Amino acid sequence: MNSSPRRVPRAGNSEHGSVEPGAESHITGASSGIGRALAVEYARRGAVLGLIARRVDVLEKLAAALPARSYSYQADVRDAAALAHPARDFISRAGCPDIVIANAGVSAGTLTPEVDDNKVFEEILATNLTGMMLTFQPFIEAMRARRQGVLVGIASVAGFRGLPGVAAYSASKAGAISYLESLRVELSGSGVSVVTLCPGYIATKLTAKNPYSMPFLMKADVAAGKMALAIAARKRFYVLPWQMALVGWMLRCLPRPLYDLLFAYAPQKPR
């Protein structure tokens, strides 16, 4: 999707809370799920928002309801040119954002023997991994010049080990975790922080399709509040909820033979 970005300024309202100075935020995938919850959370805190999504009609309705000044842009995170213009426009109107959140993501069941899944596999990797890099790219030099800013990537507990039936999603989130670590080290000493967020199961339209139990399922608005606190604290790596942090640690510690035995017949996401 190569659509032209659109902007819709909204009036601010200081009665809905405060946020630390210079808390302009740029969020991709803001029309639904975690991205929408983060937009609502940062609007409540009084941030100036740059919101990006493919569904601009949904995005504009959200922007109209937010108690903060916001700019809405239609763009696909797989398209570098489509992301560059919103970045320039937002910087010209609101200044370089203090926080850029690469949240846009897609999920679907995939199986390697199924040739029909090839395009789905490519889309998941392009959106969840390459799209994260393309989201950050237009802002890094401006943040370096200011020696200030936070780049936030939404990864997942699913990136800790390869889960059956969601190879593309697990690979994209594992790649995101490694990419964000590389970026954090590259930007060391620059004044720019990199925060990796790894949620477990969050109640969104994506997880609503899962035909299996989801332990420690967390509401999106609760998750957004916890993420905002982790971002403000400049945490390098944050897993939520805390129970999933424990589960994730245990998964990573499992020897491969035992992991294979336990997950060989685990329920899989439908294709």
Side-chain angles (χ1 to χ4, degrees), residues 31-259:
S31 62
S32 63
I34 293 174
R36 181 186 181 91
L38 284 168
V40 171
E41 176 65 25
Y42 277 103
R44 184 185 67 80
R45 291 167 177 252
V48 178
L49 299 173
L51 307 176
I52 293 179
R54 290 183 291 181
R55 298 179 297 168
V56 72
D57 55 333
V58 177
L59 196 61
E60 288 177 351
K61 289 180 182 178
L62 169 63
L66 292 176
R69 182 159 58 100
S70 62
Y71 299 88
S72 299
Y73 303 95
Q74 183 181 25
D76 189 320
V77 297
R78 296 172 295 177
D79 187 335
L83 286 176
H85 177 77
R88 289 193 300 268
D89 186 81
F90 185 81
I91 289 173
S92 70
R93 292 170 180 275
C96 180
D98 261 301
I99 304 168
V100 175
I101 304 175
N103 164 75
V106 292
S107 175
T110 54
L111 293 174
T112 298
E114 301 291 340
V115 176
D116 290 343
D117 286 357
N118 290 359
K119 289 185 178 180
V120 178
F121 205 106
E122 292 172 2
E123 179 184 355
I124 291 172
L125 289 174
T127 302
N128 298 0
L129 181 53
T130 306
M132 183 176 290
M133 180 272 292
L134 295 177
T135 296
F136 295 151
Q137 197 169 63
F139 298 102
I140 289 178
E141 291 309 316
M143 285 184 167
R144 271 178 165 163
R146 296 175 65 208
R147 297 192 60 80
Q148 180 181 340
V150 188
L151 301 173
V152 182
I154 307 296
S156 172
V157 173
F160 292 175
R161 299 295 293 255
L163 299 176
V166 285
Y169 186 74
S170 285
S172 71
K173 294 304 184 178
I177 291 170
S178 293
Y179 163 70
L180 290 163
E181 186 166 57
S182 294
L183 184 63
R184 187 182 72 244
V185 176
E186 290 169 6
L187 294 175
S188 178
S190 69
V192 182
S193 301
V194 177
V195 174
T196 303
L197 299 179
C198 290
Y201 292 113
I202 308 298
T204 66
K205 289 183 179 179
L206 286 178
T207 55
K209 299 177 183 179
N210 292 341
Y212 43 79
S213 63
M214 294 176 282
F216 315 117
L217 182 69
M218 178 177 281
K219 292 182 179 180
D221 59 338
V222 175
K226 292 183 179 296
M227 288 178 176
L229 290 174
I231 293 167
R234 309 296 193 264
K235 288 185 177 292
R236 291 176 173 85
F237 193 88
Y238 179 67
V239 182
L240 69 153
W242 67 265
Q243 295 96 331
M244 289 306 292
L246 180 59
V247 171
W249 177 82
M250 293 174 63
L251 285 175
R252 282 179 290 181
C253 291
L254 280 178
R256 290 184 176 86
L258 180 56
Y259 179 82

